[in-house]
Amino acid sequence: MSMKTILVVDDDAEIRELLQEYLMKAGYIVMTAEDGITMKNQLEQQMPDLILLDVMMPGDDGFTLCQFVRKSSEVPIMMLTAASDEMDQILGLEIGADDYIAKPFSPRQLLARIKALLRRTRPVAEDGIQQPTTLPRSIRFGHWRLETLSHRLFNLQTEEDFELTGGDFSMLMLFLSRPNEVLDRDTISNATRGREALPFERGIDVQLSRLRQRLGDSGKQPKFIKTMRGNGYIFTAPVSYEHE
């Protein structure tokens, strides 16, 4: 398996150097950028497998840069946020980040989260998700078709299509692989973040809301994902797998 490349974007030189040294020892190729201009230059040369993106930077902040990346790529993005600022974490997820980690964090915790994020962006989901024996080429539900290799979602009514982020793809695949089964928040968090849900964490709600918007699903009268108060969520639409 080829080595994965990580781009660390942070204006703090000490943090960049520490993360570069630690992640290189863990077996990753690490690029660094101190601002948005350098980041964009790096992306023109090579698209990494994952971006670690600090929120608070001079010039273009992390939110602006996340939106810039999402215009042309679905590369996994992990935001580096302040521990006390929940709004930063929620906003990052709303504009397309796949996960966040709050400063200060331990290198081991960061490494575990990076591995989980890279793992769940593979075509075949892990962490206990019950996939069909052979990953289907596409999955049909309602007026949608999901291409599992490209992560593209096709609207069969309007003929429009778009590519899902790694987190949105993992969440949708979880529901499609376990239809008519109530999934609690820990199950969803393990599949999409590689860890159990934290108390009062709103990230799952934000990501679920984003997925529902993608599907044109109403929270009050859902066609696909229904909320089971106090228990979790259930995917209620018929699902069919296409292998050829």
Side-chain angles (χ1 to χ4, degrees):
M1 183 179 298
S2 60
M3 296 174 65
K4 298 293 186 181
T5 300
I6 297 175
L7 173 59
V8 177
V9 186
D10 197 305
D11 64 307
D12 188 316
E14 184 177 358
I15 290 179
R16 291 198 309 273
E17 292 173 4
L18 289 173
L19 289 179
Q20 184 176 35
E21 180 180 1
Y22 185 81
L23 293 174
M24 287 179 65
K25 288 182 178 178
Y28 295 98
I29 299 170
V30 182
M31 306 185 298
T32 65
E34 68 273 14
D35 55 27
I37 295 175
T38 310
M39 184 196 86
K40 292 174 183 178
N41 290 336
Q42 293 275 29
L43 295 179
E44 288 180 357
Q45 300 299 319
Q46 178 183 355
M47 183 59 65
D49 296 292
L50 183 144
I51 299 176
L52 287 178
L53 183 56
D54 188 34
V55 169
M56 299 300 296
M57 292 189 297
D60 289 339
D61 62 17
F63 301 129
T64 302
L65 295 173
C66 180
Q67 290 175 309
F68 169 80
V69 173
R70 281 291 171 258
K71 290 179 181 179
S72 59
S73 173
E74 297 302 331
V75 60
I77 297 175
M78 181 180 294
M79 305 290 288
L80 307 179
T81 71
S84 59
D85 202 334
E86 183 185 38
M87 288 307 300
D88 280 356
Q89 299 162 3
I90 293 173
L91 180 57
L93 294 172
E94 287 180 337
I95 62 177
D98 296 282
D99 201 359
Y100 63 84
I101 188 167
K103 295 180 178 180
F105 50 79
S106 72
R108 291 181 63 184
Q109 179 192 25
L110 176 65
L111 182 59
R113 298 280 285 277
I114 288 173
K115 289 180 177 179
L117 182 51
L118 288 171
R119 190 166 60 239
R120 71 175 187 253
T121 55
R122 295 174 184 172
V124 180
E126 299 179 0
D127 296 319
I129 301 177
Q130 297 175 355
Q131 299 288 353
T133 303
T134 302
L135 186 70
R137 177 179 58 82
S138 62
I139 303 175
R140 292 279 299 270
F141 59 98
H143 58 278
W144 294 100
R145 183 179 78 244
L146 175 65
E147 297 290 340
T148 58
L149 294 180
S150 66
H151 295 191
R152 298 199 72 82
L153 191 60
F154 291 81
N155 188 321
L156 302 176
Q157 293 179 340
T158 65
E159 298 186 351
E160 297 176 320
D161 69 283
F162 50 84
E163 186 175 355
L164 294 174
T165 65
D168 289 350
F169 175 77
S170 295
M171 179 175 283
L172 181 56
M173 279 297 294
L174 174 65
F175 282 117
L176 294 178
S177 63
R178 299 167 70 169
N180 300 310
E181 179 180 344
V182 178
L183 305 176
D184 60 27
R185 294 173 65 83
D186 283 340
T187 299
I188 296 172
S189 186
N190 272 319
T192 60
R193 288 181 169 76
R195 57 178 172 80
E196 292 186 353
L198 301 174
F200 309 111
E201 182 177 24
R202 294 181 59 191
I204 293 175
D205 302 313
V206 172
Q207 190 175 359
L208 183 61
S209 176
R210 187 173 67 196
L211 180 58
R212 278 174 164 162
Q213 289 179 352
R214 287 284 202 181
L215 299 175
D217 207 16
S218 168
K220 294 183 179 180
Q221 295 181 322
K223 298 178 182 178
F224 303 112
I225 304 172
K226 183 178 180 181
T227 301
M228 306 297 289
R229 300 265 178 213
N231 293 307
Y233 305 92
I234 184 171
F235 194 89
T236 57
V239 175
S240 62
Y241 303 107
E242 299 176 351
H243 292 273
E244 299 295 337

